[in-house]
Amino acid sequence: MPSRSQRSALYKSHPELILNLGSCLAVLAIVAIVSYLVLRERINVEQSASRAASNIVQLIESDIQRNVELYDLSLRGLIWAVQQPDLKSLSPTLRQKILFNQAFAMPVRGDMLWLDAQGNVLADSTSVPPRQANFADSKVFQAHRQNADLGMVISPPFKARLGDLDWCISFSRRISAANGEFAGVAAGALRLSYFTDLFKRLDIGSDSSINLMNTDGVLLARQSNIAEDALIGANFADRPNFKRLMADGNGSFAGYSGRTGKARLYTFARVADLPLIVVVARSSDEVFESWRRTALLVSCATGVLCIGILWLTLLLGRELRRRQCAEQDLAELAATDSLTGLANRRQLDQVLRREWSRAQRNHRPLAVLMVDVDHFKAFNERHGHQGGDEALRKVAAAIARSIRRPADLAARYGGEEFLVVLPETERHGAQVLAERIRRSVEALPPFGDDTQPVTVSIGIGCYTPDAEHDLPALLGSADDALYSAKRNGRNRVETAI
C-alpha cells in the first residue's frame, strides 16, 4: 500500500486523477438518477393503468350489482304473486302483468319463468301462453328442491333451451308452499351478450381483455380481439393467475397469460358477495408503449451527455496540475423526531446523561415522567396508521404546551411513549406537571367518530440526593409507575414509591 508521501507525490504529478474520479462519479450519479426517474415513471405508468382499469372494474361491478338486484326484486315479486290465492281466478293477460315486470323482462336481458314442483313451465315472461319445457333435470332446479335455504342461486353459463338466447346465466329462487314444501322455482335468464356489449363500449386497447368469471373459474363473458365462443364456458380454475385472483379477492398484479404467455397487468375485484369476479387484463406492451419511447429518448440523451462530460474531463485533465482536496464533515444527526416535533431518542439519551451527572454533582433532585397513550393499538385499528400518527402529533403538542421551563425536555421515547425530563424538580412539582399534561391531553377533541378523547397514563420517577439510585433505576421506577397507572384504570398519574 503506498504511503501518504507517495500518494501526495502521485496527486502532484497526476492531478487529473481526482478530476477523472469526480467526473466518473458524476456520470454514475447522472446514470443512477436518470435510471431512478425512468423506473419511477414506469411505476407511475403502471399505477395509472391500474387506476384506470380499477375504474372500469368498479363501473362493471356497479352494473352487475344493479342487474342482480333487479333480477332479485323481480324473482321476489314473482314468488309473492304465485303465492296469492286469487291469482288463478284472474285472466291470463292480467295474470301475466302481475307475475312479470314488463319493464324488466326485455329481450336484451332474457326471459323469466315460473316452474312448478315437477319442473314444468307454468308462466313465461315472453308469452301469455307459456312455452312448454321441463327443467327437472337442471342441477339448479334439483339444488332448490333439495335445499330450502339456498336463497338466490346464480348458475354456470348454459345454452338456453327456450328461444334464441345463446349463452346465458340464470338467477333463481325456490318457491315454497305454505307448509314449507317445495312448490317450484322462479328463474330469470340473463344473456351473456349483455355484458359483452357493455364491455365493447369500454376502450382498453386492441390486445387487452375484460372478463367476467364465476368463483368456480368458468368464463361467463369476455371482450377481446379473440372470438368469444372459443372461450365462453371454459374453466380456468387450475390456472395460477385464477388461483391468485381467488386468494387476493381484489387488487392488481403483473403476470403472464397462461394461454398466450404474454405479459399482462391484471386488475380484478369480487362483485360484492356474489360468486362473480370482474377481471381486466391489460397488455403490458400497450400500457408501456409510450413509456418505452420516452425511456429510449431519455437514455440516448443521457448517453450523449455522459460522453460529453467524460470527453471534457479528459481535455481539462491534461491542463490541470493542481491538487484538489475536499473534505465533508459528517452532518449532525437530526435532534428532532420527524413525526412529533419533540426531541428524538438520541437527544433524549444525551440530555438524560447530562442532567443525571449534574444532579449527582450538585446534589439536586431530578424527575422523569413516562407518558403512554392509552389503548393506542385499538386506536390504530380504528383509524389506521395515519390517524395514529395524527393523534401522536396532537398528544406531543399538548405535552410541549404543558412544559414551561427552558431546561425541561420532552422527547419521544418510542412508539406511543414519551419521556419528560425535569431537572431540579421534586416529587410534588413533577406531580403537578404530570397532572397538567394529563388534563391537556384529555381536553383534546375526540378523533374522527370517537366519542371519547385520547388519554394518557403517566408514571413519575424521582431522584433525590440522599437516594441510592442510578439512571436505569430511575427510568425503571418511572416505568413501574406507568404500569401501575395502566393497571389502576388508565388516564391517571402514578408516582413511584
Side-chain angles (χ1 to χ4, degrees), residues 213-218 235-247 253 277 279:
M213 312 177 74
N214 63 20
T215 52
D216 294 326
V218 178
N235 194 302
F236 296 87
D238 59 341
R239 299 289 179 87
N241 287 338
F242 181 78
K243 293 178 180 178
R244 182 167 180 180
L245 297 180
M246 293 299 297
F253 66 91
I277 302 174
V279 184

Side-chain angles (χ1 to χ4, degrees), residues 424-442:
E424 300 189 8
T425 303
E426 298 179 343
R427 183 186 303 269
H428 176 71
Q431 291 173 338
V432 171
L433 179 59
E435 187 61 25
R436 184 191 306 158
I437 292 174
R438 188 197 64 79
R439 290 197 304 269
S440 179
V441 174
E442 189 179 25

Side-chain angles (χ1 to χ4, degrees), residues 136-457:
D137 60 340
S138 166
K139 292 183 179 179
V140 174
F141 183 88
Q142 294 174 7
H144 280 299
R145 182 166 54 192
Q146 297 169 3
N147 190 344
D149 300 322
L150 289 181
M152 187 176 70
V153 175
I154 303 176
S155 75
F158 61 90
K159 292 279 189 175
R161 300 185 186 183
L162 297 177
D164 184 19
L165 296 183
D166 197 35
W167 282 101
C168 300
I169 58 174
S170 69
F171 303 87
S172 58
R173 280 187 174 274
R174 173 189 170 112
I175 301 176
S176 299
N179 58 4
E181 294 184 356
F182 178 67
V185 171
L190 174 63
R191 297 172 183 261
L192 293 182
S193 59
Y194 170 83
F195 295 113
T196 303
D197 294 338
L198 171 65
F199 297 166
K200 286 180 178 178
R201 295 196 295 268
L202 303 172
D203 183 15
I204 60 169
S206 60
D207 195 26
S208 302
S209 65
I210 305 176
N211 308 270
L212 177 64
M213 312 177 74
N214 63 20
T215 52
D216 294 326
V218 178
L219 182 64
L220 306 181
R222 177 182 177 86
Q223 184 274 317
S224 71
N225 57 356
I226 301 173
E228 297 172 11
D229 289 339
L231 293 175
I232 299 300
N235 194 302
F236 296 87
D238 59 341
R239 299 289 179 87
N241 287 338
F242 181 78
K243 293 178 180 178
R244 182 167 180 180
L245 297 180
M246 293 299 297
D248 294 348
N250 59 73
S252 63
F253 66 91
Y256 292 91
S257 170
R259 186 178 56 83
T260 64
K262 294 183 178 180
R264 293 282 186 267
L265 180 62
Y266 294 95
T267 303
F268 56 96
R270 179 83 175 262
V271 181
D273 56 349
L274 301 173
L276 300 174
I277 302 174
V278 180
V279 184
V280 175
R282 299 203 60 185
S283 168
S284 295
D285 291 338
E286 292 179 349
V287 170
F288 297 114
E289 182 179 1
S290 61
W291 172 83
R292 287 193 181 96
R293 291 197 299 266
T294 301
L296 179 61
L297 178 61
V298 171
S299 298
C300 292
T302 303
V304 172
L305 175 62
C306 292
I307 292 173
I309 291 174
L310 293 175
W311 178 249
L312 291 174
T313 300
L314 291 175
L315 294 178
L316 291 174
R318 297 173 185 174
E319 306 298 330
L320 295 177
R321 294 296 179 187
R322 295 179 302 171
R323 179 182 178 183
Q324 300 178 3
C325 81
E327 296 180 349
Q328 296 181 346
D329 297 331
L330 295 175
E332 279 188 8
L333 294 174
T336 304
D337 180 70
S338 60
L339 175 63
T340 62
L342 299 180
N344 62 11
R345 186 63 180 270
R346 176 183 174 84
Q347 186 181 8
L348 172 64
D349 292 341
Q350 293 175 346
V351 172
L352 271 175
R353 287 193 296 267
R354 183 176 67 246
E355 295 299 337
W356 176 257
S357 299
R358 180 180 298 165
Q360 289 190 316
R361 185 173 58 252
N362 298 333
H363 301 284
R364 301 297 298 169
L366 175 65
V368 294
L369 310 182
M370 190 79 74
V371 184
D372 185 81
V373 181
D374 295 329
H375 304 293
F376 190 72
K377 182 178 179 181
F379 185 94
N380 258 348
E381 291 176 352
R382 292 196 306 274
H383 301 288
H385 290 295
Q386 291 184 344
D389 290 348
E390 181 62 22
L392 290 179
R393 282 192 286 268
K394 290 182 177 179
V395 170
I399 295 174
R401 288 194 302 270
S402 303
I403 297 175
R404 298 171 184 174
R405 298 189 308 176
D408 296 343
L409 176 74
R412 187 181 181 189
Y413 193 66
E416 67 272 20
E417 283 190 324
F418 302 87
L419 197 71
V420 181
V421 182
L422 304 175
E424 300 189 8
T425 303
E426 298 179 343
R427 183 186 303 269
H428 176 71
Q431 291 173 338
V432 171
L433 179 59
E435 187 61 25
R436 184 191 306 158
I437 292 174
R438 188 197 64 79
R439 290 197 304 269
S440 179
V441 174
E442 189 179 25
L444 295 173
F447 193 92
D449 297 330
D450 290 352
T451 58
Q452 298 296 325
V454 175
T455 61
V456 294
S457 298

Side-chain angles (χ1 to χ4, degrees), residues 58-123:
Q58 292 177 13
L59 175 65
I60 297 172
E61 182 183 3
S62 299
D63 188 272
I64 293 174
Q65 289 188 61
R66 182 173 58 86
N67 275 283
V68 172
E69 290 171 358
L70 289 174
Y71 268 94
D72 195 28
L73 287 173
S74 297
L75 293 176
R76 291 177 184 272
L78 175 58
I79 294 172
W80 173 86
V82 302
Q83 293 174 341
Q84 302 307 308
D86 299 333
L87 181 67
K88 294 182 179 179
S89 63
L90 301 176
S91 66
T93 303
L94 181 57
R95 184 168 62 240
Q96 179 83 355
K97 291 183 178 296
I98 293 176
L99 288 174
F100 303 106
N101 183 344
Q102 300 300 313
F104 175 73
M106 300 169 59
V108 69
R109 288 192 171 91
D111 52 20
M112 299 189 68
L113 301 175
W114 169 20
L115 307 179
D116 64 12
Q118 289 72 42
N120 297 312
V121 179
L122 295 182

Side-chain angles (χ1 to χ4, degrees), residues 116-137:
D116 64 12
Q118 289 72 42
N120 297 312
V121 179
L122 295 182
D124 182 352
S125 65
T126 63
S127 174
V128 174
R131 295 169 291 178
Q132 297 302 308
N134 186 277
F135 293 87
D137 60 340

